[in-house]
Amino acid sequence: MLEPHATWADADTVEPGLLAGVLPDVMIVELFADPPGIRLYPEEADIVKHAVDKRRREFTTVRLCARTALSRIGVRPGPILHDPSRAPVWPEGVAGSMTHCPGYRAAAVARTKAVASVGIDAESNSALPRGVEEMVASADERRTLDRLALSHPAVAWDMLLFSAKESTYKTWFPLMGRWLDFSDCTIIPDPARGTFRSSLHVPGPVVGGRRVNTFTGHWRTVVREGAEYVATGIVVPTGPRP
């Protein structure tokens, strides 16, 4: 058994990856499998003691990713718990985000000296269930999705939009501490650059003395062992970039 604070040397060596190396100033560790022999801290194990096996495995592996990423930025890993809102609680001086979907787990961490907040999300690269698109996308966004589906049919654009809004929320919440609805932002993907713009319809956070009303993110797709994935990520730098 590996100790709870140990890392797995091959945690992000699988190829191809989704987000590793994509987001500036952020360490991302990702896995496409659940390695055996990983133990949780007692406080973490207590959170999932009544969970089904699938939930325990994804919970454990994503924390392995997080502890590996933390160790690589020089932070001694410890239990990664959550606050009353169920948002993860990171060590002092660290911004972070975790995500998992069937077949994929990842964590992103950064020093708050460089990054005020980071949000990542991963999903299967497949269409949203019937009726969900109307819940998460505005009429303008749906028209954009229709155009992109014709020009770039390999990407499930409705799922990418959903993922981008999840990343937006994960970036927003640590800075604002309150809910952000799907309708509170508009996502505009750029298929040529693999980026997207998330424009907020509510006042954004003040970071480094400036109000941030637009987040800029990256997105990627990958096919691995027959499974298709889409992932999105957003970084808000602590200070203005040169």
Side-chain angles (χ1 to χ4, degrees), residues 127-147:
L128 286 170
R130 184 182 300 274
V132 175
E133 181 180 315
E134 288 75 12
M135 296 172 58
V136 303
S138 67
D140 285 343
E141 287 174 322
R142 293 199 296 274
R143 285 190 284 270
T144 299
L145 297 180
D146 289 342
R147 290 195 298 269

Side-chain angles (χ1 to χ4, degrees), residues 33-121:
D34 296 315
I38 306 301
R39 290 191 298 167
L40 296 170
Y41 285 90
E43 306 96 309
E44 295 172 327
D46 190 60
I47 295 173
V48 289
K49 64 183 178 182
H50 299 304
V52 298
D53 180 65
K54 175 181 177 293
R55 168 61 177 153
R56 286 197 303 270
R57 285 189 286 108
E58 63 192 18
F59 182 95
T60 301
T61 302
V62 80
R63 276 159 176 74
L64 170 63
C65 293
R67 280 191 266 278
T68 303
L70 287 169
S71 70
R72 292 181 182 177
I73 66 169
V75 177
R76 181 172 176 79
I80 302 173
L81 307 178
H82 54 64
D83 64 18
S85 70
R86 303 194 68 80
V89 177
W90 297 98
E92 185 177 356
V94 171
S97 181
M98 296 185 287
T99 187
H100 53 76
C101 67
Y104 178 80
R105 293 80 165 88
V109 299
R111 295 280 191 174
T112 53
K113 290 181 180 179
V115 171
S117 189
V118 56
I120 62 171
D121 183 76

